């Protein structure tokens, strides 16, 4: 199989965000952490929000930023997060609303209970409503801002290996982002949804290291023949956050190695 190697996007020197302030939820790990590093390398002040206090504090230290312990399902904590970012750095320019979960108990609709359904909706979708609302308060006052919400390729296509609440939550993130992008377009605020394909983060590694068959079942659908690296998502977020994307809003921005547009894939 011919594989296209990933570029280490965290190492590319490009400074498009000097003086901008970025809030990154789920910034202690995976896509959020890689994005915090990338945005910092482009000159942004970084505020990391996560429930994992140790990893969150370490991530903030690594990027010379601030850690605010936040459960993104809690309205007061979310408002405090964005207010703290504003009070510390004087603006809120970028909101990367990215925290999310995909618990094993969320599977086929035939076996997924209401408690699991609600938990996933809360963390993956309600959190994006709360974070977008809190970010918009600051951005509307400033007349400027870029919100990027993490959806998923499963918001665009169905999967026989179902995670029913996860998929529905990401469809919601996509629709919510599109609507906000349209509503606030004339106020200088752009809102886009990032749709990653499968990404080589701890979550995925743990799942598939235990079960290579599960990995193979999914990899065959990716034309590039590999999972994405978190830095490749970070590069897309940095573009959407920057003025290079000044005419890009209300979009589902797909970074998936060709997955969602493939019928057959290269052998
Ligand atoms: P990850 O598990 O590495 O990181 C998620 C982070 O969110 C963790 O640090 C976790 O502590 C934090 N978090 C969880 N619940 C939280 C809460 N209530 N409040 C605050 N923080 C919380 O996962 P990742 O792979 O980097 O995923 C990031 C986002 O990308 C998620 O929204 C996920 O659904 C999405 N995504 C991931 C993939 C993939 O293949 N990894 C593909 C498509 C979309």
């Amino acid at each position: 199989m011919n594989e296209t190697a990933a570029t280490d996007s965290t190492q590319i020197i490009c400074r498009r965000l000097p003086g901008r302030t970025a809030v990154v939820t789920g910034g202690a790990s995976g896509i959020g952490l890689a994005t915090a590093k990338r945005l910092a390398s482009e000159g942004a002040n970084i505020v990391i929000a996560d429930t994992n206090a140790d990893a969150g504090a370490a991530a903030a230290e690594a990027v010379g930023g601030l850690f605010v312990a936040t459960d993104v399902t809690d309205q007061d904590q979310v408002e405090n997060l964005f207010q703290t970012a504003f009070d510390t750095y004087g603006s809120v320019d970028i909101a990367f609303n990215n925290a999310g979960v995909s618990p094993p108990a969320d599977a086929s609709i035939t076996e997924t209970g209401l408690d699991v359904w609600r938990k996933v909706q809360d963390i993956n979708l309600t959190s994006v409503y709360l974070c977008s609302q809190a970010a918009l308060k600051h951005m509307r006052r400033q007349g400027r801002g870029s919100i990027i919400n993490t959806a998923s390729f499963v918001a665009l296509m169905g999967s026989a290996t179902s995670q029913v609440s996860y998929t529905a939550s990401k469809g919601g993130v996509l629709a919510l982002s599109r609507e906000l992008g349209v509503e606030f377009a004339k106020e200088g605020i752009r809102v886009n949804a990032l749709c990653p394909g499968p990404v080589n983060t701890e979550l995925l590694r743990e799942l598939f290291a235990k079960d290579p068959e599960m990995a193979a079942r999914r990899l065959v659908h990716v034309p590039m023949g590999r999972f994405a690296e978190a830095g490749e998502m970070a590069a897309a977020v940095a573009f959407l956050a920057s003025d290079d994307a000044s005419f890009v809003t209300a979009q589902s921005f797909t970074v998936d190695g060709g997955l969602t547009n493939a019928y057959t894939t290269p052998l």
Side-chain angles (χ1 to χ4, degrees):
M1 188 185 292
N2 276 330
E3 295 186 8
T4 312
T7 306
D8 183 355
S9 311
T10 55
Q11 299 302 311
I12 291 168
I13 297 166
C14 182
R15 284 183 67 84
R16 294 175 291 192
L17 307 169
R20 306 270 172 98
T21 299
V23 174
V24 179
T25 75
S29 169
I31 295 169
L33 177 58
T35 301
K37 289 180 180 169
R38 174 65 189 249
L39 299 182
S41 81
E42 296 221 22
N45 307 310
I46 305 296
V47 180
I48 290 189
D50 209 288
T51 42
N52 185 335
D54 289 343
E61 195 181 336
V63 298
L66 191 69
F67 171 63
V68 183
T70 310
D71 180 340
V72 290
T73 65
D74 183 303
Q75 187 165 29
D76 291 341
Q77 291 185 33
V78 167
E79 278 173 10
N80 172 64
L81 164 68
F82 285 89
Q83 190 60 45
T84 303
F86 178 79
D87 292 344
T88 307
Y89 294 114
S91 64
V92 176
D93 306 292
I94 299 155
F96 182 38
N97 301 323
N98 162 76
V101 291
S102 129
D106 178 22
S108 163
I109 194 166
T110 59
E111 64 204 51
T112 303
L114 186 57
D115 52 340
V116 175
W117 166 273
R118 284 192 173 135
K119 183 180 173 200
V120 172
Q121 293 299 315
D122 245 25
I123 299 176
N124 289 7
L125 177 57
T126 307
S127 71
V128 174
Y129 152 76
L130 291 173
C131 290
S132 298
Q133 194 174 56
L136 279 164
K137 275 185 203 162
H138 297 280
M139 291 176 175
R140 294 187 75 195
R141 204 176 49 233
Q142 295 163 189
R144 183 177 89 170
S146 172
I147 297 176
I148 301 116
N149 296 323
T150 304
S152 167
F153 69 101
V154 298
L156 302 167
M157 64 199 303
S159 175
T161 50
S162 183
Q163 297 174 284
V164 69
S165 186
Y166 182 89
T167 296
S169 74
K170 294 303 187 180
V173 169
L174 197 64
L176 171 63
S177 307
R178 184 170 54 222
E179 189 122 312
L180 298 181
V182 172
E183 182 176 357
F184 297 102
K186 286 200 174 165
E187 294 191 35
I189 299 161
R190 296 182 295 101
V191 187
N192 292 289
L194 176 75
C195 291
V199 185
N200 184 18
T201 60
E202 200 46 48
L203 195 125
L204 202 80
R205 269 195 297 275
E206 206 176 287
L207 200 66
F208 295 159
K210 283 187 199 140
D211 191 342
E213 245 180 65
M214 260 175 101
R217 171 101 158 88
R218 287 154 177 82
L219 260 181
V220 72
H221 297 288
V222 185
M224 283 195 179
R226 64 171 175 84
F227 295 131
E229 295 301 326
E232 294 177 299
M233 299 304 133
V237 177
F239 165 69
L240 291 170
S242 79
D243 294 342
D244 279 349
S246 54
F247 206 56
V248 182
T249 198
Q251 298 303 308
S252 40
F253 199 89
T254 306
V255 185
D256 70 349
L259 171 61
T260 53
N261 280 329
Y263 172 30
T264 62
T265 58
L267 291 173

